[in-house]
Amino acid sequence: MQGLLGTVGPLLLMFVLFYFLLIRPQQKRQKAVREMQSDLQKGDKIVTIGGVHGTVDAIDEGTIVLLSGDGSRLTFDRAAIREVKESVKK
């Protein structure tokens, strides 16, 4: 029994460390990004993963329409939104 614990113990400890140092923080980041993308509202100022800055003009289930600074409208997937710079609270 002592030999089994000596063999399996370090493996379990390594798994627990990997979980708390790598896996769990990544899951938290993914959850925060999903919430940010689902909470988008018309009028929010956002930045896409490609670096395009604009204002949300229209929202569909899987896409959004951005109004850029020069007045052009661009359609993006929701997953292409990197961050919300300024949110319109309702």
Side-chain angles (χ1 to χ4, degrees):
M1 192 65 165
Q2 183 69 17
L4 180 64
L5 184 59
T7 305
V8 176
L11 291 173
L12 286 174
L13 180 64
M14 197 166 52
F15 177 74
V16 169
L17 284 174
F18 275 123
Y19 178 76
F20 283 108
L21 295 176
L22 298 173
I23 298 171
R24 192 162 182 245
Q26 179 65 27
Q27 288 174 341
K28 282 186 174 185
R29 282 191 295 271
Q30 287 174 343
K31 181 180 178 186
V33 167
R34 278 194 309 268
E35 287 177 0
M36 179 268 304
Q37 290 172 348
S38 67
D39 292 342
L40 287 173
Q41 298 178 6
K42 185 175 179 178
D44 287 351
K45 295 184 187 310
I46 63 167
V47 179
T48 67
I49 57 175
V52 177
H53 293 248
T55 304
V56 177
D57 189 44
I59 300 175
D60 197 8
E61 188 170 320
T63 60
I64 63 165
V65 177
L66 283 185
L67 182 62
S68 67
D70 64 354
S72 61
R73 287 183 167 75
L74 305 165
T75 304
F76 289 94
D77 287 338
R78 277 186 189 245
I81 306 307
R82 183 179 71 199
E83 68 178 300
V84 176
K85 289 293 208 180
E86 186 179 319
S87 181
V88 176
K89 300 291 181 185
K90 288 187 179 181

